């Protein structure tokens, strides 16, 4: 009886010790795993802050207001923010600003739509066929090397000084970055996906819909953002050349009369348009590419 008890106690103790010895390394391994996950999380930028991109512009406006209130800025050269706001309200009330904004939006919209369609169509034709690449890519690269604003005198001779040449120049400014980035994304699709599509027996239409378009979307959205910004940059210049309406024309007239507050109103509106349009493209990109896990997401 004594021998049995002793053996049982010894066995139980050994079993308990073995269980403890086995459990200890498991706990330690879990701790190490959690520590590694914490270190990995620390390398990422962190959680996205709401309206974070407004922090920079708001800080700039705050510095501008403080410097104006302290008398550090010449009111004739850089009016205070409240002066610019009053000027903008006056221009809006008398009907000048709404008309010029609508005119500018119409020009930018037409030019952007034409450039978008042209850029995507040319990128698909050049990226999916060798014949298209031979005929299109070199021509677009040549166009890219020529300063677009340098084409203005030639386009005025061809199309006149009306709205057509302005829309054409904006379309050229827009289509070049869209084409370049979309074409680069198409060329960068891994050939293994093409081989997989061939093995699966996908048709040309399904291949484009299921592989080409998802693979090219990241590059397309980069080009789209650059194209949106380019449309506003081109508009600023074009509306100061033989124009009778628009924000650029308003700023050009204000320059002749030394109205720096009116010029700042136009610049701020251009800046707001650019920020809002870029944010809209980012939002669409985030929704369209929600399947991607990237550093920003």
């Amino acid at each position: 009886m004594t021998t049995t008890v002793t053996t049982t106690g010894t066995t139980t103790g050994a079993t308990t010790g073995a269980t403890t010895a086995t459990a200890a390394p498991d706990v330690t391994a879990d701790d190490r795993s959690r520590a590694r996950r914490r270190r990995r999380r620390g390398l990422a930028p962190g959680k996205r802050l709401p309206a974070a991109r407004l922090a920079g512009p708001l800080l700039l406006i705050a510095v501008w207001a403080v410097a104006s209130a302290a008398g550090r800025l010449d009111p004739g050269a850089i009016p205070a923010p409240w002066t610019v706001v009053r000027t903008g309200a006056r221009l809006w009330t008398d009907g000048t600003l709404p008309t010029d904004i609508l005119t500018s939006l119409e020009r930018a919209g037409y030019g952007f739509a034409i450039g978008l369609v042209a850029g995507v169509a040319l990128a698909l034709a050049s990226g999916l066929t060798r014949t298209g690449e031979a005929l299109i890519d070199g021509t677009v690269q040549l166009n890219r090397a020529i300063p677009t604003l340098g084409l203005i005198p030639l386009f005025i001779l061809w199309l006149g000084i009306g709205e057509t040449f302005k829309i054409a120049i904006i379309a050229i400014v827009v289509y070049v970055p869209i084409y370049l980035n979309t074409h680069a994304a198409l060329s960068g699709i891994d050939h293994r996906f093409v081989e997989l599509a061939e093995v699966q027996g996908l048709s040309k239409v399904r291949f484009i819909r299921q592989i080409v378009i998802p693979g090219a979307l990241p590059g397309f959205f980069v080009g789209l953002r650059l194209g949106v910004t380019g449309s506003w940059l081109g508009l600023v210049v074009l509306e100061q050349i033989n124009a009778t309406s628009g924000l650029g024309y308003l700023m050009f007239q204000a320059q002749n009369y030394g109205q720096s507050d009116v010029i700042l109103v136009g610049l701020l509106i251009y800046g707001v348009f650019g920020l809002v349009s870029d944010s809209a493209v980012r939002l669409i990109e985030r929704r369209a590419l929600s399947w991607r896990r990237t550093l920003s997401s």
Side-chain angles (χ1 to χ4, degrees), residues 134-221:
L135 296 175
I136 295 172
D137 191 62
T139 306
V140 176
Q141 297 297 338
L142 179 64
N143 187 5
R144 175 194 178 194
I146 299 174
T148 305
L149 297 180
L151 298 173
I152 291 177
L154 188 60
F155 272 60
I156 290 177
L157 291 177
W158 287 349
L159 304 175
I161 60 173
E163 296 297 310
T164 307
F165 100 90
K166 297 181 180 65
I167 294 174
I169 293 294
I170 293 173
I172 293 175
V173 173
V174 170
Y175 102 89
V176 170
I178 291 178
Y179 168 85
L180 292 175
N181 287 276
T182 306
H183 181 268
L186 288 171
S187 302
I189 293 177
D190 197 321
H191 194 268
R192 288 175 295 180
F193 293 117
V194 182
E195 295 175 348
L196 178 61
E198 292 173 349
V199 171
Q200 294 294 325
L202 296 184
S203 64
K204 190 74 171 180
V205 175
R206 290 185 63 192
F207 170 69
I208 293 175
R209 186 177 69 249
Q210 297 180 8
I211 295 179
V212 172
I213 292 179
L217 276 180
F220 164 74
F221 277 111

Side-chain angles (χ1 to χ4, degrees), residues 64-65 67-84 86-87 258-264:
W64 177 19
S68 298
R72 298 293 183 178
L73 299 177
D74 181 11
I78 306 179
W82 43 88
T83 304
V84 175
R86 284 197 299 266
T87 302
Q259 298 172 319
S260 57
D261 54 343
V262 177
I263 296 175
L264 285 175

